[in-house]
Amino acid sequence: MTDLLDRLPRALEWHDGDLYLLDQTRLPLEEVVERQDSVADVFEAIRVLKVRGAPAIGVAAAYGLCVALGPLREGPVDAMRRRLPEVAAYLNAARPTAVNLSWALRRMEQRAARSTTATTAAELYAALVDEAEAIHREDQALCLGIGEAGAALIAAGAGVLTHCNAGALATSGIGTATAPMYLAHRAGVPFRVYADETRPLLQGARLTSWELGRAGVDVTLIADTMTASMMAEGRIDLVITGTDRVAANGDVANKIGTLGVAILARHFGIPFYVACPSSTIDLDCPTGADIPIEERASDEVTSFGARRTAPDDVKVRNPAFDVTPNELVTGLITERGIVSAPYGENLARLFGPDAPRRSGASR
Ligand code: MRU
């Protein structure tokens, strides 16, 4: 995978005890990488979407804990152990919908609890860095697994629609929704991707069309309002999106607008797949109705970039995600293969407590 990764942007990097994030709010105009000097920096980066996408915020939060605890390395180990849950709770509050955030932070806490032989703060810190690096490496492997499971869905000549950005920028690897695209492209399959803009924050325009284009994938940008007519014209053969959380019954939370795309796909008889690493499956969440949906600031809707586009006193709603019911999902592309209905049964069998264990993973 290194050849692919080398051509893709990196959302985050960890070097010599420091976390670096590519500021995605400035893309595609500027590529600015910022060192995160405090846990408040990391919290803010997640909140304002400098780092975004479910897997990437999980990895960033795991390293964010290390950023917070690093300065306590010379002190007593108990002080670090006491501080850890406070920092984890703080970071976990940055955004509510993507389950990867709480999943990664829980793994970090579990690692600390297991590290009973760490008698100094320096040893405990080393164990936590090791866990964050494991989460980071595993995320890359999950992306690759999704790519391998999903690449065959992309036939020569196909038109593939994606929504928002579930690409390299949303993960630490080759993306989730984009992973089948990158592998099909590397295998020489000719196909075209339609990236919708994804109002209000334009992740499709600013991020997906940028990263796919940079990697040499044939990508066409469309406004969200064009999706139905592109489908009606027969240009779309397949939809692949990412997800922020999959409930136990297979309902899928993803970027606002995904539900509309899924309904359109059903109307036009187009398969609708959701790329989903196991880190995004929440078997403790029974249905989509139980997924917390983030409501973001109104100015994201009342302006287009820096320009105000609505009256000052207009009432606004700005839910950042919606829930697509499982019956609209043709399949979940996971690192363990494509999961289809009945989702409750199949997700529990593949990812529940009795499922075969994955290396290093603890749910
Ligand atoms: O608000 P964002 O940009 O974090 O939303 C991102 C998405 O909705 C992605 O589709 C999802 O996180 C999957 S990323 C592999």
Side-chain angles (χ1 to χ4, degrees):
M1 171 162 68
T2 17
D3 61 316
L4 260 179
L5 274 178
D6 286 346
R7 290 164 63 201
L8 295 175
R10 285 177 199 236
L12 53 89
E13 285 178 275
W14 175 259
H15 286 309
D16 304 324
D18 284 313
L19 173 63
Y20 296 86
L21 298 177
L22 174 62
D23 181 353
Q24 298 188 31
T25 63
R26 297 164 84 152
L27 291 174
L29 301 179
E30 291 173 296
E31 280 182 65
V32 178
V33 173
E34 291 176 346
R35 193 180 65 204
Q36 308 298 301
D37 290 327
S38 69
V39 68
D41 284 353
V42 180
F43 178 94
E44 192 58 9
I46 295 172
R47 195 185 67 79
V48 303
L49 276 52
K50 287 183 178 182
V51 61
R52 32 69 50 206
I57 62 177
V59 179
Y63 283 129
L65 261 183
C66 302
V67 170
L69 300 180
L72 305 184
R73 255 175 301 181
E74 307 301 322
V77 69
D78 287 348
M80 187 178 280
R81 285 196 185 276
R82 276 196 303 275
R83 181 82 180 115
L84 194 150
E86 292 167 7
V87 180
Y90 169 66
L91 284 169
N92 195 35
R95 294 189 77 190
T97 303
V99 72
N100 302 62
L101 186 57
S102 55
W103 171 84
L105 290 165
R106 193 164 55 246
R107 260 187 71 165
M108 296 294 282
E109 292 194 86
Q110 286 168 345
R111 175 64 182 262
R114 280 202 313 277
S115 302
T116 47
T117 54
T119 52
T120 65
E123 284 168 353
L124 182 58
Y125 173 78
L128 289 168
V129 170
D130 184 62
E131 189 69 17
E133 288 176 335
I135 291 171
H136 190 171
R137 274 194 311 274
E138 284 168 31
D139 182 51
Q140 296 183 342
L142 295 181
C143 292
L144 185 60
I146 287 170
E148 285 165 349
L153 294 172
I154 301 177
V160 185
L161 176 81
T162 192
H163 182 64
C164 192
N165 175 266
L169 288 165
T171 67
S172 44
I174 60 173
T176 62
T178 56
M181 303 175 200
Y182 286 129
L183 292 196
H185 177 66
R186 187 168 65 171
V189 177
F191 62 98
R192 173 176 297 167
V193 178
Y194 290 88
D196 67 24
E197 257 181 330
T198 318
R199 267 289 281 160
L201 292 182
L202 303 175
Q203 287 92 332
R206 293 187 301 104
L207 309 178
T208 303
S209 69
W210 180 72
E211 72 160 83
L212 287 173
R214 231 173 81 136
V217 176
D218 179 345
V219 59
T220 302
L221 176 65
I222 58 171
D224 299 329
T225 43
M226 298 169 190
T227 303
S229 77
M230 291 294 140
M231 288 183 173
E233 286 172 12
R235 294 180 195 278
I236 315 285
D237 302 289
L238 171 71
V239 178
I240 310 179
T241 74
T243 172
D244 289 82
R245 190 184 303 226
V246 171
N249 71 342
D251 290 349
V252 171
N254 192 47
K255 177 53 55 193
I256 191 76
T258 304
L259 172 60
V261 174
I263 292 169
L264 285 173
R266 174 58 56 93
H267 177 81
F268 287 105
I270 297 166
F272 178 87
Y273 285 92
V274 175
C276 167
S278 51
S279 53
T280 307
I281 298 169
D282 186 359
L283 295 180
D284 295 329
C285 185
T287 74
D290 304 296
I291 299 175
I293 300 295
E294 177 181 11
E295 181 90 21
R296 293 185 63 85
S298 59
D299 59 0
E300 293 178 354
V301 177
T302 53
S303 33
F304 198 86
R307 187 194 157 130
R308 176 108 197 161
T309 52
D312 284 343
D313 55 354
V314 68
K315 284 195 282 185
V316 174
R317 284 291 318 278
N318 187 17
F321 300 94
D322 58 27
V323 173
T324 298
N326 60 53
E327 59 266 26
L328 294 180
V329 178
T330 310
L332 298 169
I333 311 171
T334 77
E335 77 276 9
R336 293 187 159 200
I338 298 181
V339 180
S340 47
Y343 289 104
E345 216 172 278
N346 290 338
L347 287 173
R349 183 173 47 78
L350 275 170
F351 300 103
D354 299 331
R357 281 210 101 49
R358 282 147 289 145
S359 61
S362 54
R363 290 186 66 80

